[in-house]
Amino acid sequence: MTYSRQEIDAIIIDSFEELTYKNKCILLSGFKNPFANSDKNTPTLIKSLSEGVYNKVKGKFSDEAYRSKILSSLKAKSVTCITFYSENYPEDLKQIPNPPIVLYCKGNLSLLKTRRFAIVGSRRTQPNVLRECLKISGELTDKFTVVTGMADGADSAAIEGAIESGKIISVLAYGFDYAYPAVSAKLIQKVERCGLLLSEYPPEIPPKNYQFPVRNRIIAGLSDAVLVVSAGIKSGALITANYAEEYGKQVMAFPYSMGVTYGAGCNFLIKKGANLVENTPDIFEAFGLEFEPPEEKTELNGEEQIALDAIREAGEAFAPEIAEKLNKLPHQIIPVLSSLEIKGLIIRLGGNRYAAI
């Protein structure tokens, strides 16, 4: 990918672990201008960094070898950077108080241009709730791209529900050089291949506890709404919901019975005014959308699929014609045709003719 000078400046500034987010914003003039080492900023930076660190950062920023090394490393790791200056930086993410300077990406960048909906919840989510979370996530992809994290439990269920459609964005709280927890490695690879991985951290930044709640502002900022499927009274999912409320996004939650600890946070949100959600139609109704239940998928064996394709291609087909496609005698395909009838995929028209439904 070719970056503009502004984009490269932002990527290089973001690579400096010596700088805080505030320091980086000062150097980038609050995102409004390219890097400018103005006299008015120098005293402020030296005061917070020390003159030695400031001079070190200043030297590295101007060092073409360092700049080339950073960009080459990102390219070698198949990481694409979307900076605050980039045309495809999500507009709604720009509106949050502390937007990421750089989004490090792997996967399908076009998902950033779609309508997005967040699903979050606890690692300790009950199996029946996980099943419903997976189902709703898959159904939501008819209208939305699902946004979530990369934890066990609710996050993983949301990913598995949406992954077949490819409409899934997973926001990590660490750099791409790491897989956390370790059991998420295969799921991370699956999202990279089928959807989009995002992080505000350069690849070499390891997981740290404080980064996870900070990450949650991105999940909320990217999404039109946040659904909390499970949460204790102290939960990272509630942090995401609080960010969503702060940003003026809709907050939704599953309801729970009294005394269910892993649902206490959801009930708390509902009492505060969150939309009570039991199914996908509840969500679509909140957005003025019509819900059309997805067609149930029917598993077919090889012979059934060939026979069905032959009937669909012909419009109507006689049993001997179908048998010929399968290299069988007419009487040998009776079980195949009977199975397709039972599954509601074909109908017998009389005269040994069949048509697809």
Side-chain angles (χ1 to χ4, degrees):
M1 180 172 176
T2 302
Y3 299 109
S4 69
R5 178 73 185 196
Q6 277 188 321
E7 290 174 314
I8 294 174
D9 285 349
I11 294 167
I12 300 306
I13 289 294
D14 202 48
S15 73
F16 298 142
E17 293 186 46
E18 303 94 329
L19 302 181
T20 64
Y21 176 86
K22 183 178 180 180
N23 292 152
K24 293 174 182 179
C25 290
I26 291 172
L27 285 171
L28 290 163
S29 302
F31 296 124
K32 295 177 182 177
N33 301 301
F35 180 92
N37 183 24
S38 63
D39 292 340
K40 67 177 182 179
N41 288 335
T42 302
T44 302
L45 289 166
I46 290 177
K47 184 176 180 179
S48 62
L49 292 174
S50 82
E51 187 170 0
V53 173
Y54 174 79
N55 288 332
K56 176 184 175 183
V57 168
K58 179 183 176 183
K60 288 168 70 176
F61 179 83
S62 302
D63 185 345
E64 290 300 328
Y66 178 82
R67 295 168 74 91
S68 178
K69 176 184 175 183
I70 293 297
L71 296 175
S72 297
S73 176
L74 291 167
K75 183 177 181 180
K77 294 176 181 180
S78 301
V79 177
T80 300
C81 295
I82 297 177
T83 79
F84 194 89
Y85 301 120
S86 304
E87 289 184 4
N88 50 350
Y89 191 98
E91 191 60 36
D92 44 2
L93 202 55
K94 283 187 178 182
Q95 306 308 316
I96 72 174
N98 298 297
I101 295 171
V102 179
L103 294 173
Y104 298 89
C105 307
K106 283 189 172 187
N108 183 4
L109 297 179
S110 69
L111 294 176
L112 293 175
K113 298 178 181 179
T114 62
R115 196 170 190 180
R116 299 174 296 271
F117 186 100
I119 299 178
V120 297
S122 171
R123 289 179 175 84
R124 298 175 180 175
T125 301
Q126 294 301 296
N128 63 313
V129 178
L130 290 178
R131 285 194 296 272
E132 195 60 32
C133 175
L134 188 150
K135 178 175 180 288
I136 288 177
S137 180
E139 292 172 344
L140 280 173
T141 60
D142 184 50
K143 303 293 184 183
F144 298 92
T145 292
V146 173
V147 181
T148 190
M150 184 54 75
D152 293 335
D155 289 1
S156 296
I159 291 171
E160 292 291 359
I163 197 72
E164 185 176 347
S165 70
K167 297 174 72 174
I168 179 70
I169 297 175
S170 182
V171 186
L172 307 183
Y174 44 86
F176 293 136
D177 289 353
Y178 297 86
Y180 181 85
V183 293
S184 297
K186 289 185 178 179
L187 198 56
I188 288 173
Q189 292 170 4
K190 189 183 293 187
V191 174
E192 178 184 347
R193 185 172 61 253
C194 303
L196 178 63
L197 290 174
L198 284 186
S199 176
E200 68 175 316
Y201 300 103
E204 65 277 7
I205 300 300
K208 297 173 185 175
N209 287 339
Y210 75 87
Q211 292 169 183
F212 288 86
V214 173
R215 177 276 314 270
N216 292 351
R217 83 192 193 286
I218 300 175
I219 295 176
L222 278 173
S223 308
D224 289 352
V226 171
L227 169 64
V228 181
V229 300
S230 60
I233 205 62
K234 293 182 179 181
S235 167
L238 292 189
I239 295 174
T240 309
N242 288 337
Y243 278 126
E245 185 178 6
E246 179 185 340
Y247 303 157
K249 310 294 182 78
Q250 290 197 54
V251 177
M252 305 178 177
F254 280 179
Y256 282 83
S257 301
M258 291 175 58
V260 180
T261 56
Y262 57 82
C266 290
N267 288 346
F268 171 74
L269 290 174
I270 293 169
K271 284 189 283 187
K272 283 179 58 182
N275 288 20
L276 188 157
V277 165
E278 295 181 300
N279 50 42
T280 305
D282 288 343
I283 297 171
F284 278 28
E285 183 179 350
F287 286 95
L289 301 171
E290 290 189 11
F291 174 68
E292 297 180 7
E295 294 182 7
E296 291 188 12
K297 294 184 178 179
T298 305
E299 296 292 332
L300 301 178
N301 62 36
E303 290 187 344
E304 290 172 343
Q305 188 64 61
I306 293 171
L308 180 60
D309 290 344
I311 296 170
R312 283 175 172 166
E313 183 179 350
E316 296 178 7
F318 289 91
E321 296 172 336
I322 303 167
E324 186 176 353
K325 292 281 186 180
L326 294 170
N327 294 317
K328 290 182 177 292
L329 296 172
H331 73 273
Q332 292 177 315
I333 67 160
I334 291 175
V336 176
L337 297 174
S338 297
S339 178
L340 289 174
E341 280 190 271
I342 292 170
K343 292 176 179 178
L345 296 173
I346 64 172
I347 187 170
R348 193 196 307 254
L349 300 176
N352 216 16
R353 291 178 302 130
Y354 295 83
I357 297 175

